[in-house]
Amino acid sequence: MIADKLYEYNDARITTAIEASDHLDAVRARLAALLGPPTPSPFTLTFAGLERHMGEAPTSFVVNAMDLGDALRALARLPSWREWYLAHGGTPDGQDADIVYLPQQSRPGLPTHGAYNDMRGEQETVTEMGSKLIRHARPPAEPAPAPAPAPALPAARTTL
């Protein structure tokens, strides 16, 4: 490296890095536009209730979600899940429920073996109903008030 050209070399490196960064941002934005927003995918969540004490296999549920935490929240909103929870948990109030979440058997995707409860249809129905409730929960727009009547003009006087 020639010492006299070091300043020009560093300047060229900085300019090239900035141009590359701008180009990368443009490529990333274009790919995001082409691919669209991320879509939910299936997640398997596995739980064991009282049946595990009788040697039965745990129960797996499949919902669509963005991540495992989102999947757990989605499952908790479903009426069928609540029914299963009450039926297999042991107590109607759910305070002393004997349900065990099995994180080692919960993962993205569908189960590779065994039976599972596919909750995705119910999830879509509950989501659609929820969005309809939100739309109907808003108070109807009040009609625009009628314009105020024009002020009366004074009677014209004619003098002769």
Side-chain angles (χ1 to χ4, degrees), residues 7-30:
Y7 179 77
E8 292 174 15
Y9 172 73
N10 284 335
D11 192 41
R13 283 183 44 207
I14 291 170
T15 302
T16 303
I18 291 170
E19 290 172 358
S21 176
D22 291 345
H23 179 69
L24 183 58
D25 286 343
V27 168
R28 189 172 4 141
R30 179 69 178 141

Side-chain angles (χ1 to χ4, degrees), residues 43-149:
F43 276 81
T44 299
L45 303 169
T46 305
F47 296 86
L50 292 174
E51 73 275 5
R52 74 180 183 282
H53 300 299
M54 295 174 269
E56 293 182 31
T59 305
S60 294
F61 300 90
V62 175
V63 294
N64 283 328
M66 300 303 285
D67 58 33
L68 205 51
D70 186 36
L72 287 165
R73 287 186 295 278
L75 184 63
R77 288 190 297 265
L78 301 177
S80 295
W81 158 254
R82 288 190 207 113
E83 290 173 14
W84 180 88
Y85 185 86
L86 292 175
H88 293 83
T91 60
D93 61 0
Q95 295 296 327
D96 298 324
D98 192 13
I99 302 283
V100 177
Y101 171 61
L102 304 174
Q104 67 277 14
Q105 295 181 28
S106 300
R107 60 180 183 76
L110 298 173
T112 55
H113 63 281
Y116 61 90
N117 295 314
D118 193 344
M119 309 295 277
R120 293 175 290 178
E122 181 179 355
Q123 183 182 12
E124 287 179 20
T125 304
V126 167
T127 303
E128 287 174 11
M129 288 173 52
S131 64
K132 286 179 184 174
L133 287 174
I134 289 170
R135 280 195 297 265
H136 293 307
R138 295 183 186 136
E142 293 183 23

